[in-house]
Amino acid sequence: MTAHKDPVSVVCFGDSLTWGFNPLDKSRYSHEVRWTRRLQHELGPSFHIIEEGVNGRTTVFEDPTRGDKNGLAHLATVRKTHMPIDILIIMLGSNDLQDRFNMSADAIGLAMGRILFAATQATDDVEGRAPKVLLMAPPPLGDFTGLEYEGLYSNAHGGAQSRRLAEVYARLAEQYGTAFLDVGKHMNASPVDAIHFEAAPQANLAKVIANEVRGLAGI
């Protein structure tokens, strides 16, 4: 009798861009829209997509105004909750670009390096093997002039540094031996709030990510 083979476990670890934040009304995009659920549709039953997005999540910072947003602190629990994880998709960095953190793209890269180091180590659990990792750079921020988040982000700092994030992350991916995807090559931040995703481009993004995931899975 042939043993049953579990689907490939894929955890999507990120912030509101992974959670599915709709910039029009701050609701969560439906299963038919958000890229994580579209990814499940693209990959089919041989894969199991797990959404682990939290609005406002940073790489390594405790948010002094919102609290409990430290991605590095969350990662250890997420890995244990969902182990064994075959593939871990990481997309963070947009929230680090807020003026209050005053982080350059290079500094955010150092913070992401801590996450990648933690992500690529085995844990001390029977099923805690190191997953394969796909690091995704969020698209550059848009123009905040006159928009709601203009007081949190500035074009001079956050906007400028966001345009350097992909090149920094690409070097990190090479350093840590992970796959890399520059999301900014496939979609832009919404002009509604200069941060989040529009609905329509997420279908294509899911196709692009699905190809990356299949490659990591050897399928």
Side-chain angles (χ1 to χ4, degrees):
M1 186 175 180
T2 304
H4 172 72
K5 181 175 173 58
D6 284 337
V8 177
S9 175
V10 182
V11 173
C12 303
F13 182 74
D15 51 29
S16 55
L17 301 182
T18 297
W19 181 78
F21 187 96
N22 184 341
L24 290 174
D25 60 7
K26 299 183 174 62
S27 66
R28 190 177 195 182
Y29 280 123
S30 70
H31 282 228
E32 290 74 29
V33 172
R34 60 184 188 264
W35 68 263
T36 45
R37 302 322 310 155
R38 301 283 306 206
L39 180 63
Q40 179 69 78
H41 176 75
E42 290 292 332
L43 292 171
S46 296
F47 291 81
H48 177 52
I49 307 301
I50 301 165
E51 298 171 292
E52 274 290 352
V54 169
N55 292 331
R57 181 180 273 152
T58 68
T59 52
V60 301
F61 302 109
E62 295 295 344
D63 190 315
T65 61
R66 300 181 70 188
D68 192 28
K69 302 298 182 182
N70 185 327
L72 182 62
H74 295 168
L75 181 61
T77 298
V78 166
R79 286 195 60 191
K80 288 176 179 289
T81 299
H82 299 297
M83 65 181 176
I85 298 172
D86 298 305
I87 297 172
L88 178 63
I89 298 175
I90 301 172
M91 180 167 56
L92 289 169
S94 295
N95 290 298
D96 298 54
L97 292 163
Q98 295 176 63
D99 286 0
R100 57 184 151 179
F101 296 121
N102 195 33
M103 295 289 284
S104 66
D106 295 291
I108 294 170
L110 292 174
M112 179 57 77
R114 295 180 65 194
I115 287 183
L116 292 179
F117 178 81
T120 53
Q121 307 300 307
T123 71
D124 58 355
D125 304 278
V126 174
E127 295 277 21
R129 62 179 181 266
K132 294 179 179 179
V133 175
L134 170 59
L135 175 62
M136 304 203 312
L141 301 174
D143 184 353
F144 288 97
T145 305
L147 300 184
E148 179 180 0
Y149 298 118
E150 186 177 11
L152 293 177
Y153 294 85
S154 66
N155 294 327
H157 173 70
Q161 294 303 314
S162 73
R163 292 187 285 276
R164 297 189 52 242
L165 210 53
E167 65 179 85
V168 171
Y169 279 15
R171 290 196 300 268
L172 279 172
E174 185 173 355
Q175 179 182 346
Y176 286 92
T178 75
F180 172 70
L181 179 64
D182 179 1
V183 176
K185 290 184 176 180
H186 304 281
M187 64 190 304
N188 300 319
S190 170
V192 173
D193 68 1
I195 302 171
H196 296 104
F197 291 166
E198 294 278 294
Q202 294 189 58
N204 179 65
L205 179 62
K207 293 179 185 295
V208 173
I209 297 172
N211 286 332
E212 296 287 337
V213 170
R214 289 190 196 99
L216 287 172
I219 297 176

